[in-house]
Amino acid sequence: MENRIEEKLPQIVEDRLQEAYGMIRKGEVKQMKKKRYLYKWAGTAAVCAVIITASAGVLAAAAYFQKEAHQEADRITYEFHINYDLVPGEYQVEPGYLPEGYQDQGGGKYYGEDGLGITVMPIYTTTELDKTDGKIDIANIEHVEHTTLSGMEADIITFQEAKKYQTPTYIFLFNEAEGYVLEIVGQYTVGTEELLKFADNLTVKRTGDGAYETEEERLKREQEKASAEEQALKGQKTRDALQEAGIPEDKIYNIGEELKAYDESLGYTVMKAEFLEGIAGFNQKDFFDFSRFDGWLNEDGTLKPYTRLHYDENMELLGEERTDQEVLRVDMKVHCYNSSIFEEVPLDFSLQYVEKRADGSCTWALDEYASVPEENYSLQIDNSAVYLNGSVHTEGEDRKAYFFRQMKEGEEFFYTLLFVVDQDRKEDFLLQPVSGNYSLNQIEDETVSQIRDQLDGYIRLK
């Protein structure tokens, strides 16, 4: 059952209403004036606005909107009934308190050294609330706590299994008298006490006037939205057809065969591939980030299992299970045919998971797999390599280019990559250049045939 949260009128609204009643009793209001309201106010305020239309100016000064909150099961929807007689504002938020070690990163972001922290989202002015049709909707919630922060009515929203999924905490602050809603997002790493102290020490200044959309602006925005939706639908139809067509067999290369990528400027050949139980014998300095293995290695260098989440193509959770891992070693050769289009040659590959069909062909896998965030597991980020021997970018910021190197035309380079692979998915992938097969991103502009023809290709470990 939907539970409508009752709203008390702010004191300033109550004062204005009493003032209006007094004017009527004294005979100071002689005539009722008709006003055009685009939205009716909810509850008591709506009734009073109808009865005392002569005092509309007095009421208008009291509140920019009235809010209703509808909470049902794991969802809460805020509905705002806007007073269009008032001029929308533009606002600036200044925090009076930051947790220790946090820095202002600009754009409402206040982060610590771990790159996580607190974000003040763009302010919902009445202009922005109007563009959302007066609604804010949040799903998968677990609990809503009603309180007061920075002198404003506030809701603190936490989500289901927050610890397991490391989900943030949302805080909404509602200012009906001045016409804005603040949304604060605190990452899971932010302590509750610190987050509330941040939210309770905010100063909001009105910096200027805003304006509601004109009919022409609204029409243009709706047309742009409709056009974007049409393009997205077209892209989805192409994606579905591409999925049905599958990966062309002539775009799949075996061990010892050369895959030419990036307009045939580079040629990649897998010389050898094998699965290993662990990483024993490999130099730590050749791993891109060896710290990712912290907590995941047994004493003999084998990998511990992790908790894997399985989602379908619509990101609906299908299952959760402990999963064993192995290490894939791939010995590669890259040949540079044209050095003019690259400042440095990309060496990294990734695992493209596929679905095998009865006729022997395969297509791109739609299901998604992820680790439980609480475990802080990161050995299969983007399904790309965790190790490269012979990197020339190993120090400081230069390490961002770890999987690149300069090569001259005609030059060849032999190297080894290591990947972490789920034990039960060892037969379910192909290798692809990390930045290759770009035509897959052109689903809104090209046909299925064009996309398939322009694929760089994949390597099958056979």
Side-chain angles (χ1 to χ4, degrees):
M1 294 291 290
E2 181 179 66
N3 174 31
R4 177 167 295 183
I5 300 172
E6 296 183 359
E7 303 291 339
K8 292 182 64 177
L9 287 177
Q11 188 60 47
I12 188 172
V13 178
E14 184 66 32
D15 293 343
R16 296 295 188 184
L17 291 178
Q18 294 305 322
E19 182 180 343
Y21 281 126
M23 292 170 61
I24 292 176
R25 285 194 291 269
K26 293 177 182 178
E28 294 176 11
V29 178
K30 302 293 185 182
Q31 184 178 358
M32 303 285 277
K33 298 180 181 178
K34 280 193 172 184
K35 303 284 293 181
R36 185 172 76 93
Y37 290 92
L38 299 181
Y39 286 79
K40 294 182 179 179
W41 287 16
T44 308
V47 176
C48 293
V50 174
I51 294 175
I52 317 172
T53 51
S55 63
V58 176
L59 288 177
Y64 281 76
F65 58 78
Q66 289 291 304
K67 170 180 67 69
E68 293 180 17
H70 308 275
Q71 187 173 346
E72 183 178 359
D74 64 347
R75 180 181 296 271
I76 187 167
T77 300
Y78 297 105
E79 185 175 356
F80 301 89
H81 304 278
I82 300 170
N83 181 355
Y84 287 91
D85 287 334
L86 296 181
V87 177
E90 297 294 337
Y91 307 89
Q92 180 177 333
V93 182
E94 294 291 341
Y97 171 80
L98 289 179
E100 185 177 354
Y102 279 42
Q103 299 291 328
D104 184 351
Q105 307 292 328
K109 298 178 177 64
Y110 305 91
Y111 293 168
E113 293 181 357
D114 59 359
L116 300 173
I118 302 169
T119 301
V120 179
M121 302 298 288
I123 298 174
Y124 285 103
T125 64
T126 47
T127 301
E128 296 305 315
L129 290 174
D130 178 55
K131 291 179 182 178
T132 68
D133 295 325
K135 289 185 179 181
I136 298 174
D137 186 55
I138 306 102
N140 299 318
I141 66 171
E142 181 177 63
H143 181 68
V144 180
E145 179 183 346
H146 309 292
T147 187
T148 300
L149 295 168
S150 292
M152 290 175 268
E153 176 191 352
D155 280 357
I156 304 167
I157 300 175
T158 50
F159 294 86
Q160 298 171 6
E161 298 188 274
K163 183 175 184 294
K164 177 178 179 179
Y165 292 105
Q166 306 281 281
T167 49
T169 297
Y170 285 10
I171 299 178
F172 285 92
L173 296 93
F174 307 97
N175 197 318
E176 300 177 356
E178 297 185 36
Y180 59 82
V181 177
L182 298 185
E183 179 184 357
I184 299 170
V185 179
Q187 296 295 329
Y188 186 79
T189 54
V190 183
T192 301
E193 184 177 338
E194 294 283 71
L195 178 61
L196 294 182
K197 192 171 181 180
F198 173 92
D200 199 30
N201 286 274
L202 299 176
T203 300
V204 183
K205 297 179 181 178
R206 180 167 178 144
T207 58
D209 291 343
Y212 292 111
E213 287 180 311
T214 64
E215 285 303 314
E216 291 78 8
E217 290 170 337
R218 185 184 295 272
L219 179 60
K220 181 180 178 182
R221 178 169 61 84
E222 290 175 348
Q223 289 173 338
E224 289 174 348
K225 180 182 177 182
S227 177
E229 290 174 347
E230 183 179 350
Q231 281 294 97
L233 180 60
K234 177 183 176 183
Q236 186 58 52
K237 289 180 178 179
T238 302
R239 188 181 297 280
D240 291 343
L242 188 63
Q243 183 74 16
E244 179 65 27
I247 301 172
E249 184 61 29
D250 63 356
K251 294 291 185 177
I252 301 177
Y253 302 84
N254 295 315
I255 292 176
E257 297 177 345
E258 184 180 54
L259 181 159
K260 288 188 175 180
Y262 311 112
D263 294 328
E264 300 192 344
S265 61
L266 298 173
Y268 297 94
T269 306
V270 172
M271 310 302 293
K272 179 183 177 181
E274 63 178 331
F275 282 97
L276 309 172
E277 291 185 355
I279 61 172
F282 292 93
N283 197 321
Q284 291 187 19
K285 71 178 183 62
D286 290 327
F287 287 86
F288 173 66
D289 182 1
F290 194 75
S291 67
R292 291 181 184 175
F293 287 86
D294 290 349
W296 297 104
L297 287 177
N298 296 307
E299 290 185 5
D300 60 358
T302 57
L303 297 174
K304 298 177 181 179
Y306 76 103
T307 305
R308 186 181 67 189
L309 303 171
H310 180 191
Y311 297 91
D312 67 12
E313 59 185 295
N314 299 312
M315 294 308 292
E316 292 292 331
L317 184 63
L318 299 178
E320 174 183 323
E321 60 187 345
R322 295 293 287 172
T323 305
D324 292 318
Q325 313 174 79
E326 290 188 14
V327 174
L328 170 64
R329 172 179 177 158
V330 180
D331 294 334
M332 300 284 303
K333 178 184 75 172
V334 58
H335 183 102
C336 182
Y337 290 97
N338 180 3
S339 60
S340 63
I341 68 170
F342 286 106
E343 204 172 295
E344 293 197 304
V345 168
L347 303 175
D348 200 4
F349 271 64
S350 65
L351 312 181
Q352 171 61 63
Y353 283 92
V354 296
E355 295 177 4
K356 297 176 182 178
R357 302 190 283 201
D359 62 359
S361 65
C362 62
T363 190
W364 297 269
L366 296 178
D367 285 10
E368 297 285 345
Y369 292 82
S371 61
V372 172
E374 183 181 14
E375 293 187 352
N376 295 313
Y377 173 88
S378 57
L379 294 179
Q380 297 188 51
I381 294 178
D382 298 327
N383 295 317
S384 59
V386 297
Y387 170 101
L388 163 69
N389 64 333
S391 176
V392 295
H393 300 287
T394 60
E395 303 297 331
E397 287 294 308
D398 191 42
R399 202 172 180 83
K400 292 179 180 179
Y402 191 81
F403 290 97
F404 293 83
R405 73 180 289 120
Q406 290 184 346
M407 292 183 66
K408 297 178 182 179
E409 193 167 306
E411 182 182 355
E412 292 184 337
F413 177 63
F414 293 82
Y415 60 102
T416 295
L417 297 174
L418 296 182
F419 302 83
V420 176
V421 182
D422 292 346
Q423 200 173 74
D424 61 352
R425 303 185 75 198
K426 291 165 56 174
E427 304 295 326
D428 299 340
F429 64 85
L430 303 172
L431 285 179
Q432 68 169 343
V434 163
S435 302
N437 296 317
Y438 182 76
S439 63
L440 292 173
N441 298 323
Q442 307 303 310
I443 59 171
E444 294 179 0
D445 303 310
E446 296 187 349
T447 66
V448 170
S449 295
Q450 289 173 323
I451 293 171
R452 295 174 88 227
D453 288 344
Q454 294 169 25
L455 288 172
D456 292 317
Y458 302 88
I459 299 177
R460 178 167 44 209
L461 299 183
K462 290 185 178 179

